[in-house]
C-alpha cells in the first residue's frame, strides 16, 4: 500500500509540474512548428546565413562546393528537476544550422596558414585574446563572424580529414526536423574526391521562440 501511494504521489507531482510548466500540448506545438509564420522565419534566417557565408567566401577567397543544413524545432521539458527551472526559457525553439564546405583557391598547405592569419582575434576571457590555432591542430575552432561566434575547420592532408557531420539524436522533445544538402544527393566524401581538401564554416541561428504560458 505504501509503495502504491508513493507511486501515485510521484505521478501527481509530475502531472502538476506538467500543468504548471507553461509548455503547451505537443500536438499544438507540432502544428505551430509546421505553420507558415515559423517556416517563413526559418527561410528568412537561412537567407541571412547564406548571405554571411557568401561574405566569408569573398573575404577569404574560398569557393563554395557543398553545404549541409538542419532545421530543428523542439519543445522544452515539462518536468522541473530543479526548482524554478521550468520557468526559464521558451516553450518551443526553432534552430537552424548550416555547415558550408569551401575549396581554397590556393594549395591547402598554403591556404590554411593564410586563413588562420586573417581570422579575427577572439576574446577568451574578459581581457585576454585567445591564441590562433595552428594549421595542423584538430578542430573545429571557434572564431568571430562580425559579432557572432562561428566555428571553422579544415582538412589536413595525409593526417586528419573532417568527418561527415553527425546529426543530433532525435528525442521526445523534437517536434520537427528537416535535413538537406546542396547539391542534393552528394556526400562529403564525394565532394572531397572532386575538389580535394576542404574548409568548413558552421553558422547557426535561433529563428523562433514561443514563450511559455503562465
Amino acid at each position: 500500500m505504501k509503495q502504491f501511494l508513493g507511486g501515485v504521489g510521484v505521478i501527481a507531482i509530475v502531472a502538476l509540474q506538467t500543468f504548471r510548466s507553461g509548455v503547451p500540448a505537443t500536438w499544438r506545438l507540432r502544428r505551430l512548428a509546421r505553420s507558415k509564420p515559423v517556416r517563413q522565419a526559418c527561410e528568412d534566417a537561412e537567407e541571412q546565413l547564406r548571405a554571411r557565408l557568401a561574405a566569408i567566401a569573398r573575404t577569404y577567397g574560398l569557393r563554395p562546393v557543398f553545404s549541409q543544413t538542419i532545421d530543428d524545432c523542439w519543445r522544452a521539458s515539462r518536468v522541473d528537476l530543479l526548482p524554478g527551472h521550468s520557468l526559464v526559457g521558451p516553450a518551443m525553439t526553432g534552430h537552424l544550422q548550416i555547415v558550408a564546405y569551401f575549396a581554397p583557391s590556393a594549395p591547402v598547405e598554403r591556404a590554411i596558414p593564410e586563413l588562420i592569419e586573417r581570422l579575427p582575434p577572439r576574446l577568451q576571457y574578459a581581457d585576454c585574446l585567445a591564441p590562433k590555432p595552428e594549421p595542423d591542430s584538430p578542430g573545429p575552432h571557434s572564431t568571430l563572424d562580425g559579432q557572432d561566434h562561428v566555428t571553422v575547420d579544415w582538412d589536413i592532408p595525409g593526417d586528419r580529414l573532417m568527418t561527415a557531420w553527425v546529426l543530433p539524436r532525435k528525442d521526445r522533445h523534437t517536434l520537427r526536423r528537416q535535413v538537406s544538402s546542396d547539391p542534393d544527393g552528394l556526400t562529403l566524401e564525394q565532394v572531397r574526391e572532386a575538389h580535394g581538401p576542404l574548409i568548413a564554416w558552421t553558422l547557426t541561428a535561433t529563428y523562433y521562440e514561443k514563450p511559455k504560458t503562465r
Side-chain angles (χ1 to χ4, degrees), residues 137-177:
S137 60
H141 307 281
S142 177
T143 185
L144 286 174
D145 168 30
Q147 299 298 319
D148 297 321
H149 285 274
V150 299
T151 57
V152 60
D153 199 2
W154 50 77
D155 289 328
I156 301 174
D159 184 19
R160 183 186 63 85
L161 300 178
M162 290 180 294
T163 58
W165 185 38
V166 179
L167 293 176
R169 180 177 298 179
K170 294 174 66 174
D171 59 23
R172 58 191 176 87
H173 295 153
T174 303
L175 301 168
R176 176 178 60 79
R177 168 171 292 176

Side-chain angles (χ1 to χ4, degrees), residues 2-214:
K2 290 182 178 180
Q3 291 179 344
F4 173 77
L5 293 177
V8 172
V10 170
I11 294 174
I13 293 174
V14 171
L16 179 61
Q17 288 186 341
T18 299
F19 176 76
R20 296 178 58 185
S21 68
V23 180
T26 297
W27 69 269
R28 292 183 182 275
L29 292 178
R30 289 189 190 278
R31 186 170 65 180
L32 175 62
R34 293 177 171 84
S35 67
K36 185 175 180 179
V38 174
R39 287 189 286 109
Q40 184 62 54
C42 180
E43 292 175 6
D44 293 344
E46 182 171 359
E47 184 177 348
Q48 295 174 9
L49 292 187
R50 296 287 182 187
R52 288 169 56 190
L53 289 169
I56 287 172
R58 292 192 300 269
T59 300
Y60 297 97
L62 303 173
R63 179 165 51 93
V65 293
F66 186 58
S67 67
Q68 297 168 310
T69 304
I70 178 170
D71 169 25
D72 255 336
C73 283
W74 63 79
R75 68 166 176 83
S77 174
R78 296 189 178 94
V79 179
D80 189 5
L81 300 178
L82 299 175
H85 186 263
S86 64
L87 302 178
V88 180
M92 186 188 85
T93 302
H95 185 263
L96 186 68
Q97 183 180 54
I98 300 179
V99 184
Y101 299 89
F102 300 92
S105 55
V108 70
E109 294 83 356
R110 193 179 83 213
I112 298 304
E114 292 178 354
L115 169 68
I116 293 174
E117 185 62 28
R118 297 176 63 186
L119 289 177
R122 180 177 63 89
L123 284 176
Q124 188 174 25
Y125 303 107
D127 55 354
C128 178
L129 292 178
K132 291 187 177 182
E134 296 295 328
D136 58 351
S137 60
H141 307 281
S142 177
T143 185
L144 286 174
D145 168 30
Q147 299 298 319
D148 297 321
H149 285 274
V150 299
T151 57
V152 60
D153 199 2
W154 50 77
D155 289 328
I156 301 174
D159 184 19
R160 183 186 63 85
L161 300 178
M162 290 180 294
T163 58
W165 185 38
V166 179
L167 293 176
R169 180 177 298 179
K170 294 174 66 174
D171 59 23
R172 58 191 176 87
H173 295 153
T174 303
L175 301 168
R176 176 178 60 79
R177 168 171 292 176
Q178 185 171 355
V179 180
S180 61
S181 59
D182 184 25
D184 187 27
L186 290 182
T187 65
L188 182 57
E189 290 74 19
Q190 292 171 328
V191 176
R192 186 182 286 116
E193 288 178 3
H195 300 281
L198 302 174
I199 298 172
W201 293 73
T202 302
L203 274 63
T204 61
T206 297
Y207 62 83
Y208 190 88
E209 291 184 334
K210 175 178 175 53
K212 292 181 178 178
T213 58
R214 295 290 178 258

